[in-house]
Amino acid sequence: MPLGARPGQSPQLRELRQSVRRLLGLDDDTAVVIRQLACSEPGCPPLETVIAVLPMNGQARRWALHTTAEEITEDDLRTALLTPSSEGA
């Protein structure tokens, strides 16, 4: 099993993690965690995708996309990660 691979991890989450790394230019020492969580806010879809970037040195960053991982496009990800006002949503 490759280093960093997780048993049972969906190919979509693995692809999203790789896209996050590429779009943000992250090094191998920076952890990227992607989880799908139940959203309890009114009007929110049943699942949201939360992306956390955890560098060894520096501040952690987090984004919440109010959709499932399977529905996130490259453009959605680019907009969420690279738009300053969307961070910490």
XYZ file of all heavy atoms in Angstrom:
674
model
N 0.846 -1.176 0.000
C 0.000 0.000 0.000
C 0.895 1.244 0.000
O 1.809 1.339 0.799
C -0.889 -0.017 1.244
C -1.744 1.197 1.393
S -2.747 1.227 2.903
C -3.520 -0.349 2.885
N 0.640 2.221 -0.884
C 1.468 3.422 -0.932
C 1.388 4.217 0.366
O 0.366 4.213 1.052
C 0.860 4.233 -2.084
C 0.014 3.284 -2.846
C -0.370 2.197 -1.905
N 2.474 4.901 0.691
C 2.520 5.748 1.866
C 1.411 6.788 1.787
O 1.229 7.434 0.773
C 3.879 6.443 1.947
C 4.134 7.301 3.168
C 4.103 6.431 4.422
C 5.465 7.989 3.053
N 0.646 6.946 2.835
C -0.422 7.933 2.863
C -1.754 7.416 2.344
O -2.764 8.068 2.482
N -1.761 6.226 1.746
C -3.028 5.662 1.261
C -3.795 5.097 2.441
O -3.214 4.601 3.397
C -2.759 4.573 0.232
N -5.094 5.176 2.364
C -5.932 4.670 3.449
C -6.868 3.612 2.898
O -7.501 3.836 1.869
C -6.738 5.811 4.044
C -5.866 6.838 4.694
C -6.714 7.888 5.386
N -5.844 8.877 5.958
C -5.772 10.124 5.546
N -6.519 10.549 4.582
N -4.951 10.960 6.118
N -6.970 2.486 3.581
C -7.903 1.461 3.129
C -9.328 2.012 3.093
O -9.744 2.741 3.978
C -7.780 0.360 4.182
C -6.592 0.683 5.000
C -6.291 2.133 4.810
N -10.055 1.696 2.059
C -11.442 2.110 1.953
C -11.640 3.554 1.536
O -12.761 4.028 1.459
N -10.565 4.284 1.278
C -10.689 5.680 0.879
C -11.206 5.761 -0.548
O -10.732 5.059 -1.431
C -9.334 6.368 0.984
C -9.389 7.836 0.639
C -8.025 8.458 0.671
O -7.077 7.870 0.164
N -7.919 9.610 1.271
N -12.174 6.623 -0.775
C -12.754 6.723 -2.105
C -11.777 7.369 -3.082
O -11.007 8.255 -2.703
C -14.056 7.524 -2.061
O -13.796 8.899 -2.048
N -11.819 6.937 -4.333
C -10.970 7.568 -5.349
C -11.265 9.064 -5.485
O -10.360 9.846 -5.741
C -11.331 6.826 -6.633
C -11.929 5.541 -6.191
C -12.563 5.816 -4.859
N -12.525 9.468 -5.277
C -12.885 10.886 -5.387
C -12.176 11.715 -4.314
O -11.649 12.780 -4.597
C -14.407 11.068 -5.274
C -14.851 12.514 -5.389
C -14.561 13.129 -6.743
O -14.468 12.443 -7.737
N -14.408 14.436 -6.765
N -12.128 11.224 -3.080
C -11.440 11.956 -2.016
C -9.945 12.016 -2.273
O -9.300 13.037 -2.038
C -11.722 11.336 -0.648
C -13.151 11.467 -0.137
C -13.293 10.797 1.224
C -13.592 12.920 -0.071
N -9.383 10.939 -2.774
C -7.959 10.911 -3.115
C -7.658 11.928 -4.215
O -6.686 12.684 -4.141
C -7.566 9.493 -3.548
C -6.093 9.263 -3.637
C -5.696 7.799 -3.835
N -6.646 6.940 -4.497
C -7.422 6.027 -3.892
N -7.357 5.859 -2.595
N -8.244 5.278 -4.587
N -8.525 11.991 -5.227
C -8.350 12.948 -6.322
C -8.496 14.393 -5.821
O -7.723 15.272 -6.209
C -9.379 12.670 -7.419
C -9.211 13.526 -8.641
C -10.225 13.176 -9.722
O -10.532 11.981 -9.895
O -10.701 14.112 -10.373
N -9.456 14.634 -4.949
C -9.624 15.976 -4.375
C -8.379 16.382 -3.595
O -7.908 17.511 -3.693
C -10.836 16.022 -3.450
C -12.202 16.177 -4.093
C -13.295 16.093 -3.038
C -12.308 17.473 -4.871
N -7.842 15.462 -2.805
C -6.631 15.752 -2.025
C -5.479 16.135 -2.955
O -4.760 17.114 -2.700
C -6.253 14.536 -1.175
C -5.078 14.799 -0.256
C -4.789 13.646 0.681
N -5.882 13.514 1.652
C -6.792 12.541 1.619
N -6.756 11.609 0.706
N -7.733 12.487 2.524
N -5.306 15.408 -4.036
C -4.247 15.720 -4.997
C -4.476 17.084 -5.643
O -3.527 17.850 -5.840
C -4.158 14.632 -6.064
C -3.655 13.307 -5.530
C -3.824 12.162 -6.521
O -4.510 12.285 -7.528
N -3.209 11.040 -6.206
N -5.726 17.399 -5.953
C -6.047 18.700 -6.552
C -5.771 19.838 -5.575
O -5.246 20.881 -5.976
C -7.509 18.738 -6.997
O -7.730 17.835 -8.045
N -6.113 19.649 -4.306
C -5.829 20.664 -3.294
C -4.329 20.909 -3.221
O -3.866 22.056 -3.218
C -6.386 20.246 -1.909
C -5.859 21.144 -0.798
C -7.907 20.249 -1.924
N -3.552 19.839 -3.177
C -2.088 19.972 -3.126
C -1.556 20.758 -4.324
O -0.728 21.649 -4.175
C -1.420 18.598 -3.098
C -1.562 17.890 -1.809
C -0.680 16.633 -1.764
N -0.668 16.166 -0.408
C -0.018 16.740 0.590
N 0.695 17.794 0.363
N -0.085 16.258 1.802
N -2.061 20.415 -5.502
C -1.598 21.068 -6.728
C -1.999 22.549 -6.751
O -1.170 23.415 -7.009
C -2.148 20.343 -7.947
C -1.587 20.851 -9.262
C -2.158 20.130 -10.470
N -3.510 20.604 -10.764
C -4.646 20.004 -10.415
N -4.630 18.862 -9.763
N -5.821 20.501 -10.711
N -3.262 22.838 -6.467
C -3.747 24.218 -6.542
C -3.068 25.138 -5.527
O -2.828 26.310 -5.815
C -5.263 24.258 -6.331
C -6.103 23.737 -7.491
C -7.555 23.539 -7.048
C -6.028 24.673 -8.681
N -2.762 24.619 -4.339
C -2.143 25.440 -3.303
C -0.623 25.328 -3.283
O 0.029 26.000 -2.484
C -2.714 25.071 -1.929
C -4.211 25.350 -1.736
C -4.658 24.885 -0.356
C -4.528 26.819 -1.945
N -0.068 24.471 -4.129
C 1.385 24.307 -4.179
C 1.959 23.800 -2.866
O 2.981 24.293 -2.395
N 1.317 22.803 -2.277
C 1.723 22.302 -0.965
C 2.880 21.321 -1.052
O 2.976 20.537 -1.992
C 0.528 21.618 -0.288
C -0.701 22.497 -0.074
C -1.831 21.669 0.515
C -0.379 23.692 0.791
N 3.715 21.343 -0.019
C 4.810 20.379 0.054
C 4.325 19.086 0.707
O 3.202 19.007 1.206
C 6.009 20.970 0.803
C 5.689 21.361 2.229
O 4.796 20.745 2.856
O 6.336 22.287 2.747
N 5.188 18.087 0.711
C 4.820 16.774 1.250
C 4.655 16.773 2.763
O 4.077 15.843 3.324
C 5.863 15.722 0.858
C 5.848 15.420 -0.629
O 4.810 15.683 -1.276
O 6.865 14.929 -1.142
N 5.170 17.807 3.446
C 5.049 17.876 4.899
C 3.729 18.489 5.356
O 3.467 18.547 6.543
C 6.204 18.694 5.493
C 7.535 17.971 5.370
O 7.526 16.725 5.323
O 8.575 18.650 5.317
N 2.930 18.940 4.418
C 1.647 19.554 4.745
C 0.535 18.516 4.606
O 0.388 17.908 3.550
C 1.362 20.757 3.836
O 2.397 21.724 4.023
C 0.020 21.392 4.149
N -0.209 18.309 5.672
C -1.311 17.347 5.654
C -2.545 17.994 5.029
O -2.837 19.165 5.278
C -1.633 16.881 7.065
N -3.247 17.213 4.220
C -4.520 17.633 3.647
C -5.552 16.604 4.099
O -5.426 15.423 3.804
C -4.470 17.703 2.107
C -5.836 18.042 1.540
C -3.426 18.717 1.655
N -6.554 17.084 4.839
C -7.588 16.207 5.359
C -8.912 16.607 4.712
O -9.274 17.787 4.725
C -7.695 16.321 6.897
C -8.795 15.426 7.438
C -6.357 16.002 7.550
N -9.601 15.628 4.143
C -10.893 15.879 3.512
C -11.897 14.914 4.117
O -11.687 13.705 4.130
C -10.819 15.710 1.979
C -9.791 16.683 1.400
C -12.198 15.928 1.359
C -9.581 16.551 -0.089
N -12.989 15.481 4.615
C -14.036 14.678 5.244
C -15.397 15.126 4.728
O -15.601 16.302 4.449
C -14.030 14.862 6.762
C -12.769 14.383 7.429
C -12.755 12.869 7.523
N -11.614 12.418 8.274
C -10.571 11.802 7.746
N -10.527 11.575 6.457
N -9.577 11.412 8.493
N -16.297 14.181 4.638
C -17.686 14.498 4.349
C -18.442 14.395 5.661
O -18.388 13.369 6.332
C -18.252 13.561 3.292
C -17.604 13.781 1.940
C -18.347 13.083 0.844
O -19.164 13.685 0.187
N -18.048 11.818 0.652
N -19.127 15.470 6.021
C -19.812 15.529 7.307
C -21.277 15.880 7.110
O -21.637 16.568 6.159
C -19.164 16.603 8.189
C -17.671 16.466 8.444
C -17.146 17.696 9.164
C -17.389 15.217 9.247
N -22.090 15.432 8.027
C -23.502 15.813 8.011
C -23.580 17.293 8.353
O -22.914 17.769 9.266
C -24.279 14.996 9.029
N -24.371 18.019 7.588
C -24.538 19.451 7.810
C -25.854 19.673 8.537
O -26.906 19.231 8.075
C -24.519 20.194 6.476
S -24.648 21.975 6.677
N -25.807 20.367 9.673
C -27.010 20.577 10.473
C -27.564 21.992 10.353
O -28.558 22.317 10.988
C -26.714 20.259 11.935
O -25.669 21.093 12.398
N -26.927 22.842 9.542
C -27.411 24.208 9.374
C -28.674 24.225 8.524
O -28.798 23.440 7.586
C -26.332 25.062 8.709
C -25.071 25.210 9.524
C -23.989 25.978 8.793
O -24.329 26.742 7.863
O -22.824 25.804 9.147
N -29.606 25.126 8.819
C -30.828 25.213 8.013
C -30.510 25.523 6.552
O -29.653 26.356 6.256
C -31.597 26.379 8.650
C -31.015 26.546 10.007
C -29.596 26.075 9.926
N -31.155 24.806 5.638
C -30.963 25.028 4.212
C -29.709 24.394 3.637
O -29.440 24.495 2.449
N -28.940 23.752 4.474
C -27.692 23.120 4.034
C -28.014 21.721 3.492
O -28.886 21.037 4.027
C -26.751 23.024 5.222
S -25.107 22.409 4.851
N -27.306 21.293 2.447
C -27.521 19.920 1.974
C -27.155 18.917 3.070
O -26.430 19.267 3.995
C -26.579 19.794 0.778
C -25.807 21.031 0.687
C -26.306 22.000 1.704
N -27.617 17.688 2.949
C -27.368 16.689 4.004
C -25.885 16.443 4.280
O -25.505 16.157 5.407
C -28.020 15.421 3.471
C -28.925 15.848 2.379
C -28.435 17.166 1.880
N -25.046 16.545 3.266
C -23.606 16.349 3.453
C -22.849 17.572 2.966
O -23.221 18.184 1.969
C -23.100 15.142 2.657
C -23.396 13.762 3.190
C -22.869 12.708 2.228
C -22.782 13.555 4.572
N -21.772 17.900 3.669
C -20.856 18.925 3.196
C -19.455 18.332 3.203
O -19.177 17.382 3.937
C -20.929 20.186 4.043
C -20.427 20.037 5.455
C -20.486 21.331 6.252
O -20.819 22.391 5.694
O -20.196 21.282 7.449
N -18.599 18.872 2.384
C -17.223 18.413 2.302
C -16.336 19.455 2.965
O -16.381 20.635 2.598
C -16.805 18.211 0.834
O -17.716 17.272 0.229
C -15.392 17.667 0.735
N -15.574 19.023 3.958
C -14.695 19.923 4.691
C -13.250 19.587 4.322
O -12.842 18.425 4.350
C -14.905 19.788 6.212
C -13.929 20.667 6.979
C -16.344 20.131 6.573
N -12.512 20.621 3.944
C -11.110 20.472 3.561
C -10.272 21.232 4.574
O -10.521 22.408 4.831
C -10.861 21.044 2.149
C -11.721 20.303 1.126
C -9.378 20.980 1.798
C -11.741 20.955 -0.249
N -9.291 20.551 5.158
C -8.372 21.195 6.102
C -6.950 21.006 5.599
O -6.576 19.919 5.161
C -8.522 20.595 7.492
N -6.180 22.075 5.644
C -4.771 22.044 5.265
C -3.982 22.342 6.534
O -4.184 23.386 7.170
C -4.469 23.081 4.157
C -2.987 23.179 3.888
C -5.231 22.716 2.889
N -3.121 21.400 6.914
C -2.409 21.466 8.187
C -0.902 21.427 7.953
O -0.300 20.349 7.898
C -2.842 20.293 9.072
C -4.358 20.111 9.217
C -4.687 18.737 9.750
C -4.930 21.197 10.075
N -0.267 22.597 7.828
C 1.180 22.619 7.607
C 1.952 22.286 8.888
O 1.435 22.485 9.994
C 1.448 24.057 7.160
C 0.335 24.847 7.744
C -0.851 23.927 7.835
N 3.167 21.777 8.716
C 4.020 21.491 9.879
C 4.317 22.791 10.631
O 4.323 22.819 11.850
C 5.341 20.846 9.432
C 5.176 19.441 8.917
S 4.718 18.286 10.207
C 6.276 18.058 11.011
N 4.594 23.844 9.881
C 4.860 25.162 10.460
C 3.910 26.145 9.795
O 3.887 26.250 8.586
C 6.306 25.594 10.188
C 7.300 24.656 10.829
O 7.173 24.337 12.001
N 8.264 24.206 10.068
N 3.136 26.815 10.590
C 2.202 27.777 10.020
C 0.793 27.502 10.472
O 0.517 26.561 11.219
N -0.093 28.336 9.987
C -1.483 28.285 10.403
C -2.292 27.294 9.573
O -2.164 27.240 8.358
C -2.096 29.677 10.268
C -3.492 29.783 10.795
C -3.987 31.217 10.760
O -3.261 32.133 10.443
N -5.248 31.390 11.087
N -3.138 26.536 10.253
C -4.050 25.618 9.571
C -5.121 26.444 8.855
O -5.479 27.541 9.286
C -4.695 24.683 10.582
N -5.603 25.910 7.734
C -6.682 26.552 6.980
C -7.782 25.539 6.760
O -7.537 24.336 6.680
C -6.158 27.063 5.637
C -5.110 28.151 5.816
C -4.601 28.652 4.491
N -3.675 27.670 3.933
C -3.197 27.718 2.700
N -3.562 28.672 1.871
N -2.362 26.807 2.260
N -9.035 26.037 6.645
C -10.188 25.142 6.518
C -11.221 25.764 5.602
O -11.460 26.968 5.644
C -10.787 24.926 7.907
C -11.988 24.039 7.949
C -12.538 24.009 9.371
N -13.805 23.350 9.437
C -14.980 23.911 9.178
N -15.046 25.165 8.818
N -16.092 23.222 9.263
N -11.834 24.908 4.789
C -12.909 25.318 3.887
C -14.035 24.301 3.999
O -13.785 23.112 4.148
C -12.441 25.334 2.438
C -11.346 26.299 2.149
C -11.477 27.575 1.673
C -9.940 26.085 2.271
N -10.250 28.153 1.516
C -9.276 27.258 1.870
C -9.163 25.004 2.705
C -7.895 27.396 1.874
C -7.781 25.126 2.711
C -7.170 26.314 2.299
N -15.271 24.777 3.891
C -16.431 23.890 3.857
C -17.174 24.147 2.556
O -17.545 25.285 2.266
C -17.343 24.139 5.052
N -17.339 23.097 1.766
C -18.095 23.186 0.520
C -19.414 22.475 0.759
O -19.428 21.307 1.155
C -17.329 22.537 -0.627
C -16.119 23.341 -1.125
C -14.920 23.122 -0.239
C -15.816 22.968 -2.538
N -20.498 23.169 0.548
C -21.819 22.642 0.888
C -22.357 21.735 -0.214
O -23.409 21.971 -0.802
C -22.775 23.793 1.202
C -22.339 24.576 2.396
N -22.468 24.105 3.682
C -21.719 25.771 2.492
C -21.967 24.982 4.515
N -21.510 26.008 3.829
N -21.599 20.675 -0.443
C -21.959 19.657 -1.425
C -21.140 18.400 -1.140
O -20.203 18.436 -0.350
C -21.703 20.177 -2.864
O -22.228 19.250 -3.795
C -20.229 20.394 -3.134
N -21.499 17.306 -1.762
C -20.741 16.068 -1.562
C -19.446 16.117 -2.372
O -19.342 16.858 -3.353
C -21.556 14.844 -2.003
O -21.786 14.928 -3.403
C -22.875 14.760 -1.250
N -18.490 15.323 -1.984
C -17.207 15.271 -2.683
C -17.389 14.886 -4.154
O -16.694 15.400 -5.027
C -16.266 14.287 -1.991
N -18.340 13.999 -4.411
C -18.571 13.539 -5.777
C -19.065 14.647 -6.702
O -18.899 14.569 -7.908
C -19.570 12.372 -5.792
C -19.031 11.089 -5.211
C -18.979 11.090 -3.674
O -19.652 11.939 -3.024
O -18.242 10.263 -3.115
N -19.689 15.673 -6.140
C -20.252 16.757 -6.941
C -19.294 17.934 -7.131
O -19.580 18.847 -7.890
C -21.547 17.259 -6.300
C -22.637 16.209 -6.294
C -23.849 16.636 -5.490
O -23.679 17.257 -4.420
O -24.968 16.344 -5.949
N -18.150 17.937 -6.433
C -17.209 19.053 -6.515
C -16.421 18.964 -7.818
O -15.799 17.949 -8.112
C -16.245 19.053 -5.316
C -17.023 19.265 -4.024
C -15.179 20.137 -5.479
C -16.197 19.115 -2.775
N -16.460 20.044 -8.579
C -15.691 20.119 -9.826
C -14.356 20.810 -9.555
O -14.163 21.441 -8.502
C -16.448 20.914 -10.905
O -16.540 22.278 -10.479
C -17.836 20.334 -11.158
N -13.461 20.729 -10.507
C -12.169 21.415 -10.409
C -12.391 22.927 -10.254
O -11.720 23.577 -9.469
C -11.333 21.118 -11.656
C -9.974 21.751 -11.644
C -8.922 20.995 -10.865
O -9.166 19.824 -10.527
O -7.860 21.571 -10.603
N -13.343 23.470 -10.987
C -13.646 24.902 -10.878
C -14.175 25.256 -9.492
O -13.810 26.296 -8.937
C -14.657 25.331 -11.944
C -14.038 25.409 -13.329
O -12.795 25.531 -13.435
O -14.802 25.353 -14.307
N -15.053 24.412 -8.924
C -15.562 24.639 -7.569
C -14.409 24.685 -6.572
O -14.343 25.566 -5.709
C -16.518 23.520 -7.131
C -17.800 23.456 -7.924
O -18.207 24.486 -8.506
O -18.402 22.356 -7.959
N -13.508 23.732 -6.709
C -12.378 23.634 -5.792
C -11.461 24.846 -5.946
O -11.056 25.458 -4.949
C -11.612 22.340 -6.067
C -10.618 21.902 -5.024
C -11.272 21.739 -3.668
C -9.954 20.613 -5.455
N -11.160 25.215 -7.157
C -10.304 26.378 -7.426
C -10.921 27.637 -6.807
O -10.235 28.408 -6.135
C -10.101 26.557 -8.928
C -9.141 27.670 -9.280
C -8.928 27.802 -10.792
N -8.252 26.624 -11.333
C -8.838 25.683 -12.079
N -10.101 25.771 -12.401
N -8.143 24.660 -12.529
N -12.216 27.834 -7.021
C -12.894 29.014 -6.475
C -12.846 29.016 -4.957
O -12.540 30.038 -4.339
C -14.357 29.064 -6.962
O -14.359 29.162 -8.388
C -15.099 30.236 -6.365
N -13.141 27.894 -4.342
C -13.156 27.817 -2.877
C -11.765 28.076 -2.276
O -11.630 28.844 -1.331
C -13.669 26.452 -2.433
N -10.761 27.446 -2.855
C -9.420 27.532 -2.268
C -8.716 28.853 -2.546
O -7.924 29.317 -1.735
C -8.549 26.391 -2.786
C -8.996 24.971 -2.447
C -8.071 23.961 -3.097
C -9.086 24.760 -0.961
N -8.990 29.434 -3.695
C -8.213 30.600 -4.109
C -8.936 31.929 -3.939
O -8.398 32.976 -4.263
C -7.767 30.420 -5.570
C -6.918 29.160 -5.817
C -6.540 29.042 -7.274
C -5.685 29.138 -4.940
N -10.170 31.902 -3.432
C -10.900 33.129 -3.152
C -10.715 33.445 -1.669
O -11.197 32.684 -0.827
C -12.399 32.970 -3.482
O -12.533 32.606 -4.853
C -13.158 34.254 -3.213
N -10.025 34.542 -1.342
C -9.706 34.828 0.063
C -10.923 34.830 0.985
O -10.838 34.354 2.100
C -9.070 36.203 0.016
C -8.538 36.326 -1.370
C -9.487 35.535 -2.250
N -12.057 35.326 0.537
C -13.208 35.426 1.430
C -13.844 34.074 1.750
O -14.612 33.958 2.685
C -14.273 36.343 0.814
O -14.743 35.791 -0.393
N -13.518 33.030 0.968
C -14.129 31.727 1.205
C -13.415 30.921 2.279
O -13.959 29.983 2.824
C -14.173 30.912 -0.092
O -12.873 30.530 -0.478
N -12.188 31.294 2.609
C -11.436 30.535 3.613
C -12.090 30.669 4.968
O -12.550 31.739 5.351
C -10.002 31.041 3.690
C -9.134 30.169 4.551
C -7.680 30.556 4.467
O -7.240 31.035 3.425
O -7.000 30.376 5.469
N -12.161 29.578 5.663
C -12.744 29.559 6.992
C -14.256 29.498 6.961
O -14.897 29.599 7.985
N -14.821 29.293 5.765
C -16.291 29.236 5.657
C -16.840 28.042 6.376
O -16.206 27.082 6.610
C -16.685 29.183 4.189
